[in-house]
């Protein structure tokens, strides 16, 4: 440490908000260079490389072959898939001296696809699994939390290429297993969440979220069954249909001044002979979606009045279609839309596509708009008085909602996305027409999977999950050193004994950080706690009595071990 | 190999000119993505990583500490050193979504300097040696020869920080030694050449050039003494001065129509009573250099008429000053300049700075311009008739010129720059005012060395130097695999024997490439030669007789070794 390029800081950096960011700066692991741009100092780089190596080992273990693309990429392939445009402001674009367009790669689907197309031409060449561990660039609108969301970052991205769906599913399953091994080895607490709803293709897309209160992703899970999903991907537990027979006829009421759910519920409780809640009302939200030709089409969405339409879920449900709320001009163009009093009937009668929340099963009766200003209808029964065009997963998800597997209530939590596995299918092989000769002599279009891990982000995630009030704590798999030997005794014999102990451990194959500085023991202990090497050996006062102290940075346990055979004893703990 | 992501090509790529480029493409090591942009396929990436590791080991061996900066960098630090502008078109510049300026780092002096400034403040923290192995960007005007001169490439750059010149010299010497070890381990044939002339500071800057006919750098060396220098850095062997006394007086002649050296020499041989060559004439080249304030100042350069002024040497000699040849307007402004007939006298009489080639020693007599159209002077003696303001190393260097150390003639050769070590001094610490507390309590400005190795370029350099007509040949230190086992026998026992042999070698810690494809032995042998793994084991016809063949890719030697104990025997050769 007397030579290590390191200066620890006593105070938190002014602009740091989350613990991992504060500690990684204070402990001298990283330094800011610009918004979302960080340099890795020696300790940080050691952690980063160890994470990379764990990822590399597991990717190689499932047959992945490592390659490396440039980060600076020509525009053409990204133009072909429209991502040059789609990425919007998130893409770093530049021109070279000849005014040709380039980009800094945010992800490399295009290049992998084109490379495989360039090399391989027969079904015999597959399955194929390629990966890279590479620097990526995204011009985030709000880079935050240090290396947690940077603009230059290290990612492992891999892609599977198969001639059939079974192959894709196998590659996906292998990745899923490998990712679990990776995150387990890294000591990360994580949840695998469905990233698309069951309706859209089952487990074809899952995210690995590290549990963290500072995470930007909200997910829900059922503690009873282990079901977990992104909010976008949660499927609603569908109630059984109710009998239609015997239900009273729908009746239209004058409900002046009740354009909102709250005013409507007040009116109902004052007028009807029963207790009414917002959940008894059916709110119809009007949107327009853009058709392939560019025209807009009306879309009505009916959700129970106690729930808002969730933007993220709506977007995921309609993806890739563009949509917008109706403006005044739209309402003016469609006079059958009685704003604040819209009901299913006018929509269906006028040919408007109408989708409802899955809770709106046959036999449920609703208080909803009667399609005239100041009028509502009570007892409008689904399956009798109206039949929607289908269902849509757009209503907000709430803690306590039943899990779709029926096992219990859902609870929400926050997480940081650390991995994503995705059965991409033929989007890119279609774009680049990647066919190979099939076993039957006919061309086969390849199908792809896309799999990512945020490698540099993981350093922050581990710091975030494992730190305590004293500083960082690194699992052995990624710790910058295996053991931290602190010389806390000015006696020359103690000092040389500590140096010898460090040298012995080094010879035994351990990475040793030796604090040989002239600083006080107190300063050294504080730094050891801050730096977070998992095992600390203190050569201190006990030296005279023939003992050194072995500290476990995770448990805080301290115990004295005899100097004789100390290296072997320490090694036993480290292995 | 049945699973390796590899397709070898029979034909040279159309756009490849140099052997290394052709072979690295044909052997499937790299693929072009755009001009000067390459992807590294599995074999190429293995070579690249091995080169990186050799570099890393030796840099760590001399006390270097590895860190990693972003490649995407804010403009400000490069503005402070004026390199934002100086780099011209070679710099990739871009803007982020907020229209702030960024660049892709071509080299990182600014960042290293600022980082050290940010962390350290006392002489006790030094010496310090930091390095990174990182992706760099330069928008080359003519990217060429594949990865030899790419626009995205991997470099090792290191920087030493010291409080005094002795420290800098020690750091420089350590780097020089480490670089020699690195290039020796990589099996590169190289020359260390002076990169600045002795007059400018001795060995303060040296380049490591790999000997190669396709190199872009010309250097000269003296085979007798080992002296070697860049053309820019060659110092002229200065002849002894001649006695001035007894030399005839200078005499002006009418020499109509002799504005060129050739016409002047013809006139002299026709008129004077002796044989005259161009070397007897003194040619005066007129330039202007820009002063700090922006004004231009005249500069006359006198060189023997048998030599041109070498642009690169002139630029190096005048650096960092900007200069230009005189145009007609300049001549018109200075009527004492008799174009084609300029001599030292008018220049000196009119206060024009006048520098001469070092061969123009006192006592040498010259035929040169007499400062009037159609007139020359004969017998103008340096030190008697004119005294120049100094000397300049700007005349061209020719094969056969004497080495400055007097040991013999210089011969020129071509090389590829693979390393550069440079005593940078205080250029950057001055720019960023990096002072630390000195031992005497006063601030000390740090002094820096800058040291680079072209890591990805080295893959091409090794390919270029080591290939033969059959393909690549990799030294063991960087070979993608240690040994290449070729199954050239369809017999099931031979096949499983080969697999077992490969597995044994793998267990013994060797990296084994097993050619288990169904291709013919001929195809496999050709690929083995192309790929260039240094040792090839052929499990072929001899299997029935209990032997396999061990081939040395470098020497072409082949010998049979018994199957029993084959792994051990092979291992002996590999170690």
């Amino acid at each position: 440490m007397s030579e290590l390029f390191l200066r620890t800081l006593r105070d938190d950096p002014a602009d740091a908000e989350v613990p991992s960011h504060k500690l990684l700066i204070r402990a001298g692991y990283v330094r800011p260079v610009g918004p979302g741009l960080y340099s890795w100092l020696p300790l940080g780089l050691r952690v980063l490389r160890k994470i990379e190596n764990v990822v590399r080992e597991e990717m190689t273990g499932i047959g992945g072959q490592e390659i490396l693309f440039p980060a600076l990429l020509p525009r053409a392939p990204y133009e072909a898939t429209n991502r040059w445009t789609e990425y919007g402001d998130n893409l770093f674009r530049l021109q070279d001296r000849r005014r040709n367009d380039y980009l800094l790669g945010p992800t490399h689907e295009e290049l992998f696809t084109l490379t495989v197309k360039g090399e391989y031409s027969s079904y015999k060449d597959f399955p194929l699994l390629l990966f890279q561990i590479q620097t990526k660039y995204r011009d985030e609108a709000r880079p935050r939390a240090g290396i947690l969301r940077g603009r230059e970052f290290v990612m492992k991205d891999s892609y599977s290429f198969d001639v059939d769906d079974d192959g894709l599913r196998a590659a996906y399953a292998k990745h899923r297993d490998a990712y679990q091994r990776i995150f387990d080895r890294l000591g990360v607490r994580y949840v695998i969440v469905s990233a698309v709803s069951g309706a859209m293709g089952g487990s074809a897309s899952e995210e690995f979220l590290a549990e963290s209160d500072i995470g930007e992703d909200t997910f829900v899970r059922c503690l009873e069954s282990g079901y977990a999903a992104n909010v976008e991907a949660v499927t609603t537990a569908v109630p059984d249909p109710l009998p239609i027979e015997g239900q009273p006829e729908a009746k239209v009421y004058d409900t002046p001044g009740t354009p909102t759910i709250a005013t409507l519920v007040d009116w109902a409780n004052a007028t009807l002979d029963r207790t009414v809640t917002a959940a008894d009302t059916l709110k119809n939200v009007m949107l327009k979606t853009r058709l392939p030709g560019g025209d807009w089409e009306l879309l009505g969405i009916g959700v129970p009045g106690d729930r808002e339409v969730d933007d993220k879920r709506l977007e995921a449900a309609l993806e890739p279609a563009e949509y917008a709320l109706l403006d005044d001009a739209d309402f003016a163009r469609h006079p059958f839309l009685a704003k604040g009093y819209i009901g299913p009937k006018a929509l269906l009668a006028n040919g408007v596509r109408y989708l409802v929340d899955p809770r709106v099963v046959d036999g449920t009766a609703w208080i909803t708009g009667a399609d005239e200003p100041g009028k509502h209808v009570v007892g409008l029964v689904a399956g009798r008085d109206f039949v929607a065009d289908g269902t849509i997963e757009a209503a907000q998800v709430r803690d306590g909602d039943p899990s779709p597997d029926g096992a219990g209530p859902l609870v929400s939590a926050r997480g940081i996305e650390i991995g994503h596995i995705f059965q991409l299918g033929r989007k890119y092989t279609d774009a680049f027409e990647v066919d190979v000769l099939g076993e039957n002599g006919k061309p086969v279009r390849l199908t792809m999977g896309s799999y990512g891990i945020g490698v540099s982000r993981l350093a922050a995630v581990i710091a975030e999950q494992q730190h305590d009030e004293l500083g960082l704590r690194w699992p052995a798999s990624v710790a910058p050193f295996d053991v931290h030997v602190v010389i806390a005794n000015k006696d020359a014999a103690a000092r040389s004994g500590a140096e010898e102990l460090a040298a012995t451990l080094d010879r035994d194959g351990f990475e040793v950080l030796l604090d040989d500085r002239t600083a006080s023991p107190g300063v050294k202990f504080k730094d050891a706690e801050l730096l977070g090497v998992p095992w600390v050996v203190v050569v201190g006062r006990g030296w005279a009595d023939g003992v050194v102290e072995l500290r476990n940075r995770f448990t805080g346990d301290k115990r004295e071990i005899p100097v004789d055979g100390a290296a072997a004893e320490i090694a036993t703990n480290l292995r």
Side-chain angles (χ1 to χ4, degrees), chain A:
Chain A
M1 282 185 75
S2 62
E3 292 171 8
L4 182 65
F5 185 56
L6 171 71
R7 189 171 67 103
T8 56
L9 308 178
R10 200 172 301 250
D11 299 315
D12 287 335
D15 61 338
E17 284 168 15
V18 307
S20 60
H21 187 193
K22 292 177 189 173
L23 289 171
L24 288 169
I25 299 274
R26 280 188 51 209
Y29 280 65
V30 301
R31 286 290 178 263
V33 167
L37 301 170
Y38 286 82
S39 52
W40 297 82
L41 299 192
L43 295 179
L45 187 58
R46 291 177 79 102
V47 171
L48 179 64
R49 293 286 184 245
K50 291 195 179 188
I51 296 172
E52 286 181 9
N53 281 336
V54 168
V55 172
R56 179 174 288 119
E57 282 174 19
E58 295 296 343
M59 291 310 300
T60 307
I62 59 168
Q65 302 188 53
E66 188 172 0
I67 66 178
L68 183 64
F69 284 109
L72 179 65
L73 299 170
R75 170 177 175 161
Y78 287 76
E79 188 71 51
T81 58
N82 201 34
R83 296 212 297 175
W84 174 264
T85 307
E86 268 176 14
Y87 260 110
D89 281 347
N90 285 314
L91 194 66
F92 282 109
R93 297 176 185 82
L94 68 160
Q95 291 191 322
D96 73 358
R97 64 198 298 153
R98 300 188 201 290
R99 300 286 156 235
N100 291 316
D101 285 324
Y102 286 81
L103 60 98
L104 299 182
T107 162
H108 281 65
E109 278 82 355
E110 286 82 353
L111 276 291
F112 275 90
T113 310
L114 285 169
T115 299
V116 171
K117 179 178 184 170
E119 304 300 313
Y120 277 175
S121 55
S122 160
Y123 72 97
K124 292 179 191 163
D125 297 322
F126 299 90
L128 175 66
L129 176 49
L130 299 175
F131 75 99
Q132 62 174 348
I133 296 176
Q134 203 228 15
T135 306
K136 299 260 191 283
Y137 297 86
R138 283 185 206 162
D139 196 359
E140 298 281 352
R142 297 180 308 113
R144 69 182 279 271
I147 52 173
L148 210 50
R149 184 179 285 279
R151 299 198 293 172
E152 174 173 327
F153 53 96
V154 179
M155 241 185 91
K156 186 283 297 177
D157 50 334
S158 51
Y159 302 89
S160 61
F161 294 85
D162 286 279
V163 291
D164 55 31
D165 293 349
D166 281 349
L168 171 56
R169 277 190 287 270
Y172 183 92
K174 278 203 270 187
H175 269 91
R176 198 176 194 276
D177 290 348
Y179 276 33
Q180 293 184 67
R181 284 192 295 272
I182 289 167
F183 298 129
D184 287 345
R185 286 178 62 182
L186 299 178
V188 176
R189 293 189 305 277
Y190 64 95
V191 185
I192 306 176
V193 303
S194 299
V196 293
S197 69
M200 298 284 285
S203 63
S205 176
E206 287 169 296
E207 285 175 7
F208 291 72
L209 299 184
E211 299 172 45
S212 171
D213 292 342
I214 64 147
E216 289 189 317
D217 291 289
T218 302
F219 67 98
V220 296
R221 58 180 154 182
C222 170
L223 296 173
E224 283 73 11
S225 67
Y227 168 86
N230 258 354
V231 164
E232 298 91 302
V234 173
T235 49
T236 303
V238 181
D240 290 332
L242 301 175
I244 287 173
E245 276 190 31
Q247 296 220 39
E249 282 208 5
K251 184 176 171 193
V252 174
Y253 288 82
D254 281 324
T255 60
T258 58
T260 66
I261 295 297
T263 51
L264 178 61
V265 168
D266 286 348
W267 169 85
N269 278 310
T271 309
L272 304 178
D273 191 17
R274 56 185 169 103
T275 303
V276 169
T277 71
D280 300 317
T281 69
L282 182 64
K283 174 164 61 179
N284 294 298
V285 177
M286 292 307 302
L287 306 173
K288 53 185 178 180
T289 62
R290 202 194 283 270
L291 296 172
D295 287 345
W296 292 95
E297 182 187 56
L298 290 184
L299 171 65
I301 294 181
V303 297
D306 62 332
R307 288 176 194 264
E308 299 301 323
V309 167
D310 180 306
D311 284 343
K312 278 187 161 183
R313 281 170 58 76
L314 177 62
E315 191 182 336
L318 295 177
E319 201 184 11
E322 198 184 339
Y323 69 91
L325 291 171
L326 296 199
D327 56 24
D328 288 344
D330 292 315
F331 279 103
R333 246 195 309 278
H334 302 289
F336 62 88
L337 296 175
K339 203 173 174 182
Y341 301 90
I342 297 170
K345 290 199 131 175
L347 297 179
L348 293 164
N350 287 279
V352 175
R353 191 159 162 249
Y354 182 57
L355 302 175
V356 293
D357 184 77
R359 294 173 191 81
V360 185
V361 293
D362 280 1
T364 50
W366 303 92
I367 302 173
T368 189
D371 299 311
E372 283 182 53
K375 285 186 193 290
H376 278 93
V377 57
V378 174
L380 196 75
V381 174
R384 180 189 73 183
D385 302 324
F386 69 98
V387 177
D389 295 312
T391 59
I392 185 168
E393 292 284 4
Q396 64 180 164
V397 177
R398 288 197 299 241
D399 273 36
D401 283 350
S403 173
D405 59 14
L410 293 174
V411 290
S412 62
R414 300 185 75 78
I416 304 166
E417 186 184 337
I418 50 176
H420 188 189
I421 54 178
F422 183 26
Q423 294 186 19
L424 195 53
R426 296 180 177 80
K427 174 174 175 185
Y428 291 91
T429 51
D430 281 346
F432 295 112
E433 299 184 340
V434 187
D435 294 331
V436 298
L437 191 73
E439 198 165 359
N440 60 4
K442 289 180 185 161
V444 182
R445 182 131 307 174
L446 293 178
T447 181
M448 288 170 65
S450 155
Y451 318 88
I453 286 182
V455 173
S456 46
R457 168 178 288 184
L458 275 166
V461 165
I462 296 166
E464 192 65 38
Q465 286 191 340
Q466 303 287 357
H467 77 277
D468 64 10
E469 68 288 358
L470 301 173
L472 297 165
R473 297 192 300 184
W474 297 106
S477 57
V478 299
F481 291 91
D482 296 316
V483 57
H484 187 158
V485 177
V486 176
I487 305 179
N489 186 330
K490 287 188 176 174
D491 181 60
R495 188 179 180 88
S496 67
E499 285 169 354
E500 200 181 304
L501 177 61
T504 305
L505 288 165
D506 180 76
R507 269 196 306 277
D508 291 346
F510 295 106
E511 293 174 339
V512 186
L513 178 62
L514 176 67
D515 193 347
D516 57 348
R517 296 176 298 170
T518 52
S520 74
V523 166
K524 291 183 174 186
F525 295 155
K526 272 213 160 357
D527 274 347
E529 282 153 352
L530 180 60
L531 298 185
V533 174
W535 293 95
V536 180
V537 177
V538 179
V539 178
R541 265 179 256 162
W543 180 262
D545 306 321
V547 294
V548 297
E549 191 180 79
L550 180 61
R551 298 181 178 180
N552 182 318
R553 177 67 185 88
F554 275 88
T555 61
D557 287 346
K558 303 175 182 185
R559 64 191 180 88
E560 294 192 331
I561 58 175
V563 170
D564 285 344
E569 173 68 24
I570 293 164
T572 309
N573 285 280
L574 264 56
R575 282 202 182 94

